[in-house]
């Protein structure tokens, strides 16, 4: 299949589209700015309350007449541009494919040679997130603003989290022989080539007990701001390599406590001790909050060095005390994930996107300029990206579309086939966007007999209004039909000639319904959940005890308690914090505020990650290894990203 790298089939149509959009854009921008000036966020309201001179209100009153005059002047040009723009959409392609060339050793072609379908099982990591990159005036309805800056910061944080090395901690002890693999929240941060502990703001020091391969003298700050050069791994090795740390201990020894307070308290809050809610994350410098050197990194991601009985001449903690301290962190993290020993996989709330993330599915990337900024940042890690997915005008759908689907897909592995379908059954505000489903086939390896090993991924965004259950169920029906059609149309295998082996089949996205809400019973019982497994769900209306909601209460986005990834992680680990900062299912008979006191659930989970256990290669089995709720985008969106790591293995290996 040919992947479209441009939105139009020839340069003449592309040039005409650029001219028409140039005529429309001034009017579009002025309308957006005018509407945005009358929809303040809670952060801006707090700023105005602290401003005795009311300068912001004065600026709004001053610029509004100017904006109105410019808007009236731009209307004729916008109308002329619309006359050309609208018919052009019938020739527009449904997505733009972007590939970053010359990725070197970390490129997708190199990844294909790593797995031949034999030997140890192979793990693949998936993540999905609703990033709310709408035009600024619409984003403010969800208490978010500055869409262009947020897009850049979101891309940087995802890249920084995914590019860190995967670290496996092996604890050798007469009393504890377990193995803890901390790939979602690395216990040791990457260091410079000298292997010396570097100071981190807020009196936190990176541990120096584990040395990484040299990086040519590159300063860690460069990684935070610019990402790994040309997509190279942070530690200079293959992304699939894991840094192995072996920790020994004596029987009866007692490691130090892992919960000692951080000196100064600034690292805990990540706000420099400023007033409550005064620093939204997307206004900070590059690398703040989301980078590995951030003072707001998670407890499992940054090890707090401290002086102990075994110290060196310089006063730094000795190697033994550092190892014991890390051992205590590992044991505590493992215990937190294993509160329910019957669960077959690890699960946690993480302050970082998982290390070695392979596939990323995003929703609500509606703004074109924001999508471009986000793409540029993600290309620092992902080689293959699909963006600007959807249709405009009346192409392919019943009603006129002002916005695309908002879907964006990024992959480290080569994309083989793509299909997009727009949901025809929408109403109200959702009818203005071409919400639909994006289907992808990726190659993840090849066998010694030159059989391709492939995987299927579907990303979708369902109808939003909570009362429209029938519409969402109809969309789920269409999703199932489209999934089957895509598998059938793109498969080049047959029973007699199996040219391809299917390793996984994953469906993810913002489904806009909750598994515990009494108003969403139709969706909860849909047949999609009989074909695909939800790792967080026990059954219709019943969640696993550790599963939490993914929709945040927008009123608290800029509170100091949750304004950094680390703070939000700590809040969501407690039931009290979840009740205060997560959105809960609403009922037709009562408001959300009253429902919060009655519900025993953990919030409204509307972002899903599903995987199929059937339809794969007959000799292989795909099992969930890790599942994570991610706080790294705190202050940048009103959703929690979720991630899942699947391990694909054969029955012979298990035997």
């Amino acid at each position: 299949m040919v992947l479209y790298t441009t939105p139009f089939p020839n340069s003449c149509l592309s040039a005409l589209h650029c001219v028409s959009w140039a005529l429309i854009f001034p009017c579009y921008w002025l309308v957006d700015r005018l509407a945005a000036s009358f929809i303040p966020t809670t952060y801006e309201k707090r700023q105005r309350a602290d401003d005795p001179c009311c300068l912001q209100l004065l600026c709004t009153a001053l610029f509004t007449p100017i904006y109105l005059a410019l808007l009236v002047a731009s209307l004729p040009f916008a109308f002329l541009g619309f006359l050309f723009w609208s018919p052009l959409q019938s020739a527009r392609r449904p997505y733009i494919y972007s590939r970053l060339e010359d990725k070197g050793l970390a490129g997708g072609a190199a990844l294909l040679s790593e797995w031949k379908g034999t030997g140890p099982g192979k793990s693949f990591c998936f993540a999905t997130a609703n990033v709310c990159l709408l035009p600024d005036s619409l984003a403010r309805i969800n208490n978010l603003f500055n869409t262009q800056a947020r897009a850049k910061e979101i891309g940087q944080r995802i890249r920084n989290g995914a590019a860190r090395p995967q670290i496996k901690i092996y604890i050798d002890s007469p009393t504890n022989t377990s193995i803890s693999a901390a790939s979602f929240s690395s216990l040791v941060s990457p260091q410079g080539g000298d292997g010396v502990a570097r100071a981190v703001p807020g009196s936190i020091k990176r541990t120096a007990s584990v040395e990484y391969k040299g990086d040519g003298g590159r300063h860690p700050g460069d990684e935070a701001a610019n990402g790994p050069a040309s997509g190279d791994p942070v530690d200079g090795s293959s992304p699939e390599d894991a840094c192995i740390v072996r920790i020994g201990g004596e029987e009866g020894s007692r490691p130090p406590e892992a919960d000692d307070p951080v000196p100064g308290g600034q690292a805990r809050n990540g706000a420099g001790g400023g007033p409550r809610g005064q620093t939204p994350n997307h206004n900070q410098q590059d690398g703040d909050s989301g980078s590995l050197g951030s003072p707001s990194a998670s407890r499992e991601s940054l090890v707090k060095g401290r002086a102990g009985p075994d110290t060196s001449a310089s006063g730094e903690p000795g190697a033994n005390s550092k190892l014991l301290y890390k051992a205590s962190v590992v044991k505590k993290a493992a215990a937190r994930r294993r509160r329910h020993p019957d669960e077959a996989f690890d699960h946690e709330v993480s302050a970082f996107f998982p290390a070695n993330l392979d596939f990323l599915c995003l929703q609500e990337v509606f703004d074109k300029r924001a999508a471009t900024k986000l793409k540029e940042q993600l290309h620092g890690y992902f080689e293959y990206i699909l963006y600007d997915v959807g249709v405009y005008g009346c192409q392919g759908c019943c009603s006129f579309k002002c916005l695309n689907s908002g879907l964006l897909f990024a992959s480290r592995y080569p994309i083989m086939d793509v299909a997009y379908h727009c949901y025809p059954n929408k109403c109200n505000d959702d009818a203005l966007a071409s919400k639909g489903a994006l289907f992808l086939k990726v190659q993840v390896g090849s066998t010694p007999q030159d059989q391709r090993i492939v995987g299927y991924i579907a990303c979708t965004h369902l109808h939003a209004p909570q009362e429209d259950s029938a519409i969402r169920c109809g969309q789920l029906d269409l999703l199932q039909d489209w999934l089957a059609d895509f598998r059938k149309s793109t498969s080049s295998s047959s029973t007699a000639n199996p040219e391809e082996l299917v390793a996984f089949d994953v469906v993810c996205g913002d489904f806009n319904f909750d598994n515990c809400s009494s108003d969403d019973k139709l969706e909860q019982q849909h047949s999609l959940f009989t074909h695909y497994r939800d790792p967080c769900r026990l059954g219709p209306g019943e969640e696993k005890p550790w599963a939490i909601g993914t929709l945040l209460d927008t009123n608290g986005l800029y509170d100091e308690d949750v304004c950094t990834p680390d703070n939000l992680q700590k809040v969501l680990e407690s039931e009290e914090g979840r009740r205060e900062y997560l959105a809960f299912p609403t009922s037709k008979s009562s408001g959300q505020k009253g429902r919060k006191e009655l519900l025993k659930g953990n919030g409204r989970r509307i972002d899903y990650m599903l995987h199929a256990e059937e339809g794969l290669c007959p000799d292989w089995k795909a099992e969930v290894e890790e599942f994570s709720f991610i706080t790294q985008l705190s202050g940048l969106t009103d959703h929690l990203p979720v991630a899942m790591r699947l391990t694909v293995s054969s029955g012979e290996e298990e035997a």
Side-chain angles (χ1 to χ4, degrees):
M1 178 180 178
V2 177
L3 298 174
Y4 304 129
T5 56
T6 58
F8 291 93
N10 58 65
S11 56
C12 180
L13 291 177
S14 296
L16 188 58
H17 178 267
C18 290
V19 172
S20 63
W21 182 247
L23 293 171
I24 295 172
F25 181 75
C27 181
Y28 161 81
W29 185 85
L30 288 166
V31 170
D32 187 43
R33 293 314 311 154
L34 267 174
S37 63
F38 293 100
I39 311 175
T41 62
T42 54
Y43 171 72
E44 292 169 328
K45 290 177 181 178
R46 290 169 186 167
Q47 280 189 321
R48 292 177 183 178
D50 296 336
D51 180 13
C53 298
C54 298
L55 292 178
Q56 290 183 341
L57 291 175
L58 183 62
C59 290
T60 300
L62 179 65
F63 283 103
T64 297
I66 298 176
Y67 283 153
L68 284 173
L70 292 174
L71 176 61
V72 171
S74 66
L75 283 175
F77 298 98
F79 179 74
L80 179 62
F82 181 79
L83 293 178
F84 288 97
W85 178 87
S86 183
L88 281 173
Q89 303 314 304
S90 61
R92 185 187 176 275
R93 292 160 170 170
Y95 61 82
I96 301 177
Y97 169 71
S98 175
R99 180 183 178 186
L100 185 66
E101 301 289 348
D102 192 21
K103 289 280 290 184
L105 296 176
L111 290 175
L112 294 182
S113 63
E114 293 182 358
W115 189 38
K116 298 295 182 180
T118 59
K122 175 73 172 178
S123 68
F124 300 97
C125 191
F126 309 80
T128 181
N130 183 319
V131 291
C132 199
L133 292 178
L134 289 150
D136 200 46
S137 57
L138 298 179
R140 287 168 177 268
I141 298 174
N142 291 344
N143 202 23
L144 294 162
F145 65 107
N146 207 342
T147 294
Q148 307 306 316
R150 282 194 300 116
K152 183 178 179 181
E153 179 70 10
I154 286 170
Q156 288 174 342
R157 293 197 191 182
I158 295 174
R159 184 191 63 198
N160 291 341
R164 61 202 170 87
Q166 182 176 357
I167 299 175
K168 295 179 183 285
I169 306 296
Y170 290 76
I171 304 175
D172 294 337
S173 168
T175 59
N176 188 348
T177 59
S178 64
I179 296 176
S180 177
S183 61
F184 273 59
S185 294
S186 301
L187 301 181
V188 185
S189 298
Q191 303 175 38
D194 53 5
V196 178
R198 301 188 183 276
V200 179
S203 302
I204 298 180
K205 295 184 178 179
R206 294 179 182 172
T207 178
S209 58
V210 180
E211 295 184 2
Y212 288 81
K213 297 181 181 179
D215 58 4
R218 189 165 48 188
H219 193 277
D222 298 334
E223 294 282 10
N226 303 317
S230 302
D232 293 339
V234 175
D235 61 347
S237 61
S238 169
E240 291 298 323
D241 293 343
C243 177
I244 307 299
V245 184
R246 186 170 294 279
I247 302 175
E250 299 179 0
E251 186 173 3
S253 63
R254 186 175 184 272
E257 281 298 323
D259 282 335
D260 287 354
V262 180
Q266 294 184 0
R268 175 180 177 87
N269 295 330
R276 181 180 178 91
Q278 288 300 303
T279 310
N281 288 331
H282 51 279
N283 285 343
Q284 297 176 5
Q285 296 297 318
D286 293 350
D288 288 356
S289 303
S291 68
L292 297 176
S294 166
S296 60
S298 66
R299 295 189 300 277
E300 293 80 11
S301 304
L302 297 178
V303 178
K304 307 178 184 68
R306 66 169 187 170
D310 181 16
T311 57
S312 61
S314 62
E316 290 292 326
N320 290 337
S321 63
K322 290 177 182 176
L323 291 176
L324 289 173
Y325 181 79
K326 285 190 293 180
S328 68
V329 175
V330 171
K331 291 177 181 178
K332 184 171 183 178
R336 184 172 63 251
R337 290 197 302 268
R338 295 292 190 178
R339 283 175 183 159
H340 306 283
D342 294 337
E343 192 62 81
F345 54 87
D346 289 340
H347 45 81
E348 67 173 342
V349 178
S350 171
F352 286 130
F353 275 84
N356 297 336
L357 178 63
D358 295 308
F359 307 102
L360 176 68
C361 299
L362 300 180
Q363 301 87 46
E364 290 200 10
V365 188
F366 287 118
D367 188 272
K368 284 187 176 182
R369 292 182 297 152
T372 302
K373 291 180 173 65
L374 179 59
K375 171 188 69 83
E376 291 171 353
Q377 294 297 324
L378 292 177
H379 261 322
Y381 179 78
F382 295 100
E383 183 174 355
Y384 310 92
I385 294 179
L386 288 174
Y387 69 105
D388 198 10
V389 178
V391 295
Y392 298 90
C394 295
Q395 179 192 357
C397 294
C398 301
S399 58
F400 188 87
K401 307 299 176 187
C402 300
L403 299 172
N404 60 25
S405 71
L407 301 176
L408 182 147
F409 176 78
S411 171
R412 293 172 61 212
Y413 289 89
I415 300 173
M416 299 176 64
D417 289 285
V418 181
Y420 160 78
H421 294 281
C422 177
Y423 291 126
N425 54 337
K426 295 187 291 289
C427 65
N428 300 328
D429 296 341
D430 265 24
L432 298 176
S434 59
K435 284 186 176 181
L438 181 66
F439 304 91
L440 305 112
K441 178 183 177 182
V442 295
Q443 184 176 359
V444 295
S446 60
T447 68
Q449 295 77 30
D450 291 330
Q451 291 175 290
R452 290 189 297 267
I453 304 175
V454 302
Y456 287 93
I457 305 169
C459 178
T460 188
H461 189 184
L462 299 184
H463 190 67
Q466 294 184 40
E467 64 274 9
D468 295 333
S469 292
I471 292 179
R472 276 189 295 274
C473 283
Q475 292 177 345
L476 289 173
D477 291 338
L478 289 171
L479 178 63
Q480 273 193 288
D481 294 340
W482 292 337
L483 281 166
D485 291 343
F486 184 70
R487 284 283 299 264
K488 184 177 180 180
S489 63
T490 59
S491 176
S492 60
S493 298
S494 63
T495 305
N497 183 26
E499 297 179 3
E500 295 178 344
L501 303 177
V502 179
F504 56 79
D505 186 354
V506 171
V507 178
C508 62
D510 182 354
F511 286 12
N512 271 315
F513 67 85
D514 176 60
N515 190 46
C516 288
S517 174
S518 59
D519 294 335
D520 295 333
K521 288 184 178 180
L522 287 177
E523 299 96 315
Q524 296 162 10
Q525 298 171 359
H526 196 272
S527 59
L528 178 71
F529 294 101
T530 63
H531 296 74
Y532 290 84
R533 181 190 172 195
D534 181 358
C536 301
R537 160 183 161 126
L538 289 172
E542 188 177 4
E543 295 276 82
K544 293 185 178 178
W546 51 265
I548 66 173
T550 60
L551 186 62
L552 299 172
D553 187 342
T554 56
N555 292 326
L557 292 181
Y558 305 112
D559 287 0
E560 185 181 4
D561 291 341
V562 295
C563 69
T564 66
D566 186 54
N567 287 358
L568 181 56
Q569 178 196 31
K570 294 172 185 176
V571 163
L572 296 182
E573 287 176 345
S574 69
E575 184 176 355
E576 217 173 276
R578 292 192 292 268
R579 287 187 179 278
E580 184 173 357
Y581 288 103
L582 289 181
F584 276 71
T586 57
S587 175
K588 297 176 182 178
S589 58
S590 61
Q592 178 172 315
K593 187 174 181 181
R595 292 274 292 172
K596 277 193 174 185
E597 301 298 328
L598 301 175
L599 287 175
K600 296 181 180 180
N602 288 327
R604 191 163 178 252
R605 184 174 67 91
I606 63 175
D607 298 272
Y608 289 76
M609 184 75 69
L610 315 177
H611 71 98
E613 296 179 327
E614 301 176 354
L616 310 181
C617 176
D619 297 330
W620 291 352
K621 186 176 183 180
E623 294 181 318
V624 178
E625 179 185 343
E626 297 167 331
F627 196 93
S628 178
F629 299 91
I630 301 162
T631 64
Q632 194 170 6
L633 301 185
S634 64
L636 300 176
T637 179
D638 57 342
H639 285 244
L640 286 180
V642 295
M644 174 180 69
R645 193 180 298 274
L646 280 180
T647 298
V648 182
S649 58
S650 66
E652 297 177 359
E653 294 167 10
E654 294 179 355

